[in-house]
Amino acid sequence: MGVTSYEANQIANALATSVPGAAVILPEHPDYKTARLVWNACFDKRPAAIVRCQNTAQVADTVRFARKAGLLLSIRGGGHSLPGFSTNDGGIVLDLSPMREVRVDTDARTATAQGGCTWADYDAATQQHGLASTGGMLSGTGIGGLTLGGGIGWLTRQCGLACDNLLGAEVVTASGEVVWASASEEPDLFWGLRGGGGNFGVVTSFEFRLHPVQQIHGGFLVFPFDRAHEVCRAYREFVVELPDELTTLLSFANAPVDDSFPAELRGQPALFIGGCDLGSPPAAEERLRPLRKLGPAADFYPMTSYTDLQKAFDAEYPAGQRHYFKGGMVAQFTDELIEAIIEHIRVRPSQMSGLDWHHMGGACARVPTESTAFPDRSSAFIYNVLGNWIVGAEDEANRDWARRFALDLERLGGSASYVNFLSEPVAGTRPRAVYGGPKHERLTDVKRRYDPSNLFRLNQNITP
């Protein structure tokens, strides 16, 4: 419910008393206009207050305040929530962005990161020591939302999902209690955090396992769109025997208007085969040979900095654009899927839109499916239909395109959705369809224990 009995000055006074030391930004504050903005410009909402928390105590105070006042509560880390969950109308936004400390233990090969960190923050700290763990492919994404939903990235096949590297988490529950969740403490909560989204509390600190990631062999090969059938089939064969060291991505997008691209490609539809190889440079070069034999129009290998590869898509996805994504999982890259993909890319209403096709398997597939809430580890690919545009008047056309595209992929073999790639709330029976019956039932049990009143409902919600 929104604000009813609370006027702005009452909220300000109540928050000042209830959350001492936090920065409270109200609608009349000069910073409010920018503070309320989120990455996806489809969501232009006006919360009653934005509370920028400096520490866990302030987070707990804010949670208790929102619960007692009966106000909607959004949790904002990086602010990249596709369905706009990190903001609301008339409620409280609990903003973790001041909490961005990362501590690295090189002996234990672990990193402890506060809940407001982005992957840029995390990678900058861990790469100083030649270490990393799986993170998102946009560096401005918050570590929290991505990890809690699963978390795929350039290290997935070698190191598993982001949630597979989670060793423990400090969580503020709906009661305002602060607990530590790990394999040995609050194990049911820990299970739910790894793939169940932000349903169970505010994670104020994450402890991750780190892996040696120093010099990588990564980059992109680029092909014109008129070779899509050939390149898709070649990619399908290429990934069959790949070792864990190599994680790849097939992406359909327009080439940037950039002097580094051949003139005939700039601004035109293209296919990108991206990769991150943790093997030796000679072995990585040898693995690329089948793709290079195809004769790419542009070759952006090797990109040897992991942080540079992590930022490779940043320029194409700045804050303030409009987005509608739909993702899912598929076992095989069939000819029928290739035909459907090519046809939908041809009729995009926005030339900014596209598709990412992530190759899975490796370390991710070897984690027992019952050990985390992440729904599907057997599928060979995760896809993401990317609706991207600028003008609000074009919302309907672009959303309809993405929905039709995703329905075709699902009809041709797609299965469980990936919650981090969904731009709409999964309502009604959908969470059960996403997670499957047994996992959904267990998630519901965890929800009832830690958030029985569903305070944390601005997420891909598991109702108690």
Side-chain angles (χ1 to χ4, degrees), residues 339-368:
E339 291 292 341
I341 291 167
I342 292 170
E343 182 56 32
H344 282 286
I345 294 295
R346 280 182 178 142
V347 298
R348 294 171 296 170
S350 167
Q351 292 296 298
M352 297 168 62
S353 296
L355 174 82
D356 284 347
W357 196 263
H358 300 265
H359 182 219
M360 303 300 288
C364 170
R366 288 193 294 273
V367 175

Side-chain angles (χ1 to χ4, degrees), residues 122-250:
Y122 184 85
D123 294 333
T126 59
Q127 279 288 279
Q128 289 184 32
H129 309 281
L131 300 168
S133 56
T134 307
M137 292 180 172
L138 291 177
S139 70
T141 303
I143 65 169
L146 185 125
T147 300
L148 297 175
I152 62 176
W154 289 115
L155 305 179
T156 298
R157 288 176 49 80
Q158 175 73 13
C159 305
L161 302 169
C163 72
D164 297 335
N165 292 283
L166 186 64
L167 299 173
E170 182 183 75
V171 185
V172 177
T173 68
S175 66
E177 180 185 6
V178 181
V179 301
W180 180 258
S182 67
S184 59
E185 302 176 64
E186 310 287 345
D188 288 337
L189 175 59
F190 184 56
W191 177 87
L193 293 175
R194 290 173 293 158
N199 272 282
F200 314 111
V202 185
V203 181
T204 50
S205 181
F206 296 81
E207 183 184 8
F208 291 103
R209 178 186 301 110
L210 291 169
H211 306 265
V213 177
Q214 297 181 3
Q215 185 176 21
I216 68 159
H217 194 279
F220 297 88
L221 302 176
V222 190
F223 301 84
F225 185 71
D226 60 13
R227 297 184 62 191
H229 288 93
E230 172 196 6
V231 172
C232 286
R233 290 175 181 140
Y235 177 76
R236 179 175 65 192
E237 296 304 313
F238 174 71
V239 299
V240 170
E241 299 295 335
L242 290 187
D244 293 357
E245 289 91 344
L246 178 55
T247 297
T248 65
L249 164 72
L250 176 64

Side-chain angles (χ1 to χ4, degrees), residues 46-384:
R46 289 167 171 77
I50 300 162
V51 184
R52 287 181 170 162
C53 295
Q54 308 280 341
N55 52 53
T56 299
Q58 291 175 358
V59 171
D61 289 340
T62 305
V63 168
R64 284 190 287 264
F65 176 87
R67 187 188 74 248
K68 291 176 182 177
L71 295 171
L72 276 173
L73 180 63
S74 292
I75 313 304
R76 180 186 298 173
H80 270 237
S81 169
L82 282 165
F85 293 141
S86 49
T87 187
N88 64 67
D89 282 321
I92 301 293
V93 170
L94 194 166
D95 187 350
L96 295 168
S97 60
M99 299 175 61
R100 297 172 72 165
E101 181 185 14
V102 183
R103 291 181 284 108
V104 179
D105 185 332
T106 55
D107 293 331
R109 282 190 179 171
T110 61
T112 303
Q114 290 184 303
C117 288
T118 65
W119 288 106
D121 299 323
Y122 184 85
D123 294 333
T126 59
Q127 279 288 279
Q128 289 184 32
H129 309 281
L131 300 168
S133 56
T134 307
M137 292 180 172
L138 291 177
S139 70
T141 303
I143 65 169
L146 185 125
T147 300
L148 297 175
I152 62 176
W154 289 115
L155 305 179
T156 298
R157 288 176 49 80
Q158 175 73 13
C159 305
L161 302 169
C163 72
D164 297 335
N165 292 283
L166 186 64
L167 299 173
E170 182 183 75
V171 185
V172 177
T173 68
S175 66
E177 180 185 6
V178 181
V179 301
W180 180 258
S182 67
S184 59
E185 302 176 64
E186 310 287 345
D188 288 337
L189 175 59
F190 184 56
W191 177 87
L193 293 175
R194 290 173 293 158
N199 272 282
F200 314 111
V202 185
V203 181
T204 50
S205 181
F206 296 81
E207 183 184 8
F208 291 103
R209 178 186 301 110
L210 291 169
H211 306 265
V213 177
Q214 297 181 3
Q215 185 176 21
I216 68 159
H217 194 279
F220 297 88
L221 302 176
V222 190
F223 301 84
F225 185 71
D226 60 13
R227 297 184 62 191
H229 288 93
E230 172 196 6
V231 172
C232 286
R233 290 175 181 140
Y235 177 76
R236 179 175 65 192
E237 296 304 313
F238 174 71
V239 299
V240 170
E241 299 295 335
L242 290 187
D244 293 357
E245 289 91 344
L246 178 55
T247 297
T248 65
L249 164 72
L250 176 64
S251 184
F252 296 76
N254 278 25
V257 181
D258 186 288
D259 289 346
S260 62
F261 283 79
E264 65 273 14
L265 268 186
R266 295 172 200 163
Q268 298 302 308
L271 282 79
F272 296 72
I273 299 179
C276 178
D277 200 318
L278 301 184
S280 68
E285 280 290 316
E286 181 62 27
R287 279 190 278 271
L288 273 179
R289 185 178 296 182
L291 295 179
R292 282 201 166 121
K293 282 185 177 179
L294 294 173
D299 186 337
F300 294 103
Y301 270 88
M303 183 184 294
T304 55
S305 163
Y306 174 68
T307 54
D308 283 350
L309 188 59
Q310 284 284 79
K311 296 175 182 178
F313 293 128
D314 286 3
E316 304 302 314
Y317 287 89
Q321 293 180 354
R322 305 176 82 82
H323 306 282
Y324 184 91
F325 296 179
K326 286 187 77 71
M329 306 176 186
V330 66
Q332 296 180 330
F333 196 12
T334 64
D335 285 345
E336 291 79 10
L337 281 166
I338 291 171
E339 291 292 341
I341 291 167
I342 292 170
E343 182 56 32
H344 282 286
I345 294 295
R346 280 182 178 142
V347 298
R348 294 171 296 170
S350 167
Q351 292 296 298
M352 297 168 62
S353 296
L355 174 82
D356 284 347
W357 196 263
H358 300 265
H359 182 219
M360 303 300 288
C364 170
R366 288 193 294 273
V367 175
T369 187
E370 68 277 3
S371 67
T372 72
F374 188 76
D376 181 0
R377 294 180 180 274
S378 63
S379 293
F381 303 95
I382 289 182
Y383 58 84
N384 192 9

Side-chain angles (χ1 to χ4, degrees), residues 406-427:
L407 280 172
D408 261 2
L409 297 182
E410 187 173 347
R411 177 178 59 84
L412 293 169
S415 58
S417 299
Y418 174 40
V419 294
N420 283 355
F421 288 167
L422 296 179
S423 289
E424 290 178 303
V426 289

